[in-house]
Amino acid sequence: MNPKLAQLQPYPFEKLTKLKAAATITSELPHIALSIGEPKHESPDFVLASLANNLHTLAKYPTTKGLPELRQSIAQWCTQRFHLTNLDPETQILPVNGTREAIFSFTQAMINAVPDALVVSPNPFYQIYEGAAYLAGASPHYLPCLPENGFNPDFDAVPAEIWKSTQILFICSPGNPTGAVIPIETLKKLINLADEHDFILASDECYSEIFVEGADAPVGLLEACAAIGRHDYKRCVVFHSLSKRSNLPGLRSGFIAGDANLLSAFFQYRTYHGCAMPIATQLASIAAWNDEEHVAENRRLYTQKFDAVLKILSPVMNVQQSDASFYLWAETPIDEEAFAQRLFAEQQVTVLPGSYLSRTINGVNPGQRRVRMALVAEVEECVEAAKRIRALIESL
């Protein structure tokens, strides 16, 4: 058995299940889950219709590279959304079965497992960054995301010796769980750092299309590349998905785009990996990437929920509108585990303790005294959950 498996920590939801199992439930209220970032809005009918109408394609093996039409629709979407002058669908795009699969497998393909190999990521973070690092033979290095820096890492504080050992820097913008967006000037600085120290800059952007109506759309890494004339996107890749953008988490459809040399090596790895996307899924994905109306409606619903929930919670809790994503990264009046457990026991609302998404480094855990709330339920449920959270806080 692979000894590196012993380095993996339990997934956050395993910890949450144990926390809830130890609770003494004193409420008969119906349960409301704000813990899992699984969209609950309706999947687009036209995407489901495409999937149903193309089930006959299951009789054919799909190719690892995917249909040219899919890569072209992705290239067109990226070019329009991120103001690119070019993105070659033949060499700079690969379809993937969701960002989790892609992030993990990309790390396995890219890491040279020398003793000092580092994968650097934000803290708190999506746990796949850490697990992928360990299983690829690298060590994770964590950059705290604290309120004094807008919940983004302070990249200027990273010592040069860390950058010298870095093989991949994962950034997540908009962030999970903080919702923070990395500014374009910071992205340009990171591109220069990647050049100076020869590491890969990998941007997880799966929440990029969820932001408050009327606000500026979050900037992307390829957009920053284009702004400095780096149209080959050297050392840079981005990950996108239809899960959040289009309410299609079960479709397992996304893409990686960027540096053609990196994608060529990743493509070779994937030909052995056995991860080609079914043709019916590809055709449904084309339909989703080609439509923006359902994405705008998605934003309208999330904006409505943010407005309503923040009006209820702001008077009693330190919580602010996130830059983007569907999360609130709220400060708790007591220990975050105790708060989450009592909220479940007394009010039947589930949130995720922030420490489950973070690591304690030098005595500091950025998720301490915070919880992640995913506003994925219907508007009425989110409002009801906010009222119950407020009731608990007022009872403390």
Side-chain angles (χ1 to χ4, degrees):
M1 188 176 293
N2 188 341
K4 296 185 180 71
L5 289 170
Q7 296 175 286
L8 302 183
Q9 294 206 26
Y11 216 62
F13 299 107
E14 295 178 55
K15 298 178 183 179
L16 181 62
T17 297
K18 290 183 179 180
L19 183 73
K20 291 167 66 176
T24 301
I25 299 174
T26 60
S27 170
E28 296 182 358
L29 292 166
H31 179 249
I32 301 174
L34 303 183
S35 51
I36 301 178
E38 181 182 62
K40 299 299 182 184
H41 299 168
E42 291 293 326
S43 301
D45 288 340
F46 63 89
V47 176
L48 302 183
S50 173
L51 196 62
N53 292 338
N54 289 290
L55 291 179
H56 63 278
T57 61
L58 296 178
K60 299 179 181 179
Y61 277 120
T63 63
T64 302
K65 202 168 189 177
L67 296 170
E69 297 87 348
L70 173 58
R71 286 181 275 112
Q72 182 60 51
S73 69
I74 291 170
Q76 183 176 346
W77 179 78
C78 284
T79 299
Q80 293 176 345
R81 168 64 175 83
F82 296 108
H83 315 292
L84 310 180
T85 57
N86 70 297
L87 185 65
D88 184 2
E90 184 63 26
T91 64
Q92 294 178 316
I93 294 170
L94 277 177
V96 297
N97 295 311
T99 52
R100 178 194 292 223
E101 178 270 321
I103 288 168
F104 181 86
S105 58
F106 180 79
T107 306
Q108 309 314 300
M110 295 297 121
I111 288 295
N112 176 13
V114 294
D116 64 345
L118 294 181
V119 171
V120 178
S121 82
N123 185 26
F125 58 95
Y126 185 36
Q127 196 157 316
I128 299 304
Y129 311 150
E130 178 187 73
Y134 280 133
L135 288 171
S139 298
H141 181 84
Y142 310 99
L143 305 182
C145 300
L146 303 172
E148 53 263 35
N149 203 49
F151 296 108
N152 279 318
D154 182 359
F155 298 106
D156 292 334
V158 179
E161 57 266 26
I162 295 297
W163 291 132
K164 289 177 183 177
S165 296
T166 299
Q167 294 194 16
I168 301 176
L169 167 61
F170 278 112
I171 56 175
C172 186
S173 181
N176 173 13
T178 66
V181 171
I182 299 177
I184 191 168
E185 293 306 319
T186 302
L187 293 175
K188 293 176 183 178
K189 183 187 301 183
L190 293 176
I191 294 168
N192 290 331
L193 275 170
D195 286 347
E196 181 182 354
H197 298 287
D198 190 23
F199 61 76
I200 297 168
L201 181 52
S203 184
D204 180 355
E205 300 178 0
C206 67
Y207 297 96
S208 69
E209 304 314 290
I210 302 175
F211 52 92
V212 172
E213 284 186 304
D216 291 337
V219 68
L221 178 59
L222 299 190
E223 187 174 0
C225 287
I228 61 173
R230 181 182 290 238
H231 302 299
D232 62 355
Y233 313 113
K234 187 174 179 62
R235 295 191 178 85
C236 296
V237 294
V238 298
F239 300 87
H240 282 269
S241 167
L242 291 173
S243 295
K244 276 72 176 180
R245 173 190 181 269
S246 299
N247 309 314
L248 292 165
L251 193 67
R252 310 313 303 138
S253 178
F255 68 85
I256 178 174
D259 184 331
N261 290 326
L262 297 178
L263 264 61
S264 176
F266 187 39
F267 171 70
Q268 182 183 25
Y269 176 88
R270 292 175 70 75
T271 60
Y272 283 82
H273 189 39
C275 53
M277 186 187 296
I279 295 172
T281 301
Q282 294 187 55
L283 294 171
S285 301
I286 292 170
W289 289 118
N290 286 347
D291 182 79
E292 289 295 326
E293 288 187 13
H294 75 284
V295 185
E297 173 62 12
N298 218 21
R299 283 194 288 270
R300 185 190 69 80
L301 292 172
Y302 284 120
T303 299
Q304 185 179 353
K305 286 188 278 191
F306 274 123
D307 287 346
V309 168
L310 287 170
K311 283 179 183 176
I312 296 166
L313 292 181
S314 293
V316 298
M317 195 176 205
N318 181 14
V319 57
Q320 294 83 34
Q321 173 68 59
S322 53
D323 293 340
S325 82
F326 46 52
Y327 297 124
L328 290 176
W329 186 232
E331 188 174 357
T332 57
I334 58 175
D335 172 83
E336 73 283 354
E337 281 191 298
F339 181 85
Q341 189 176 60
R342 286 192 60 174
L343 184 62
F344 173 68
E346 299 173 26
Q347 298 292 338
Q348 279 293 285
V349 174
T350 302
V351 296
L352 190 62
S355 56
Y356 292 3
L357 297 160
S358 311
R359 297 290 177 259
T360 301
I361 306 297
N362 297 326
V364 176
N365 187 311
Q368 188 174 13
R369 293 286 292 269
R370 289 194 176 270
V371 292
R372 189 188 77 176
M373 304 177 189
L375 301 189
V376 292
E378 296 296 334
V379 175
E380 294 77 12
E381 276 195 306
C382 286
V383 169
E384 172 62 21
K387 290 178 180 177
R388 295 188 202 174
I389 294 169
R390 179 165 177 163
L392 173 65
I393 291 172
E394 291 178 335
S395 73
L396 295 175

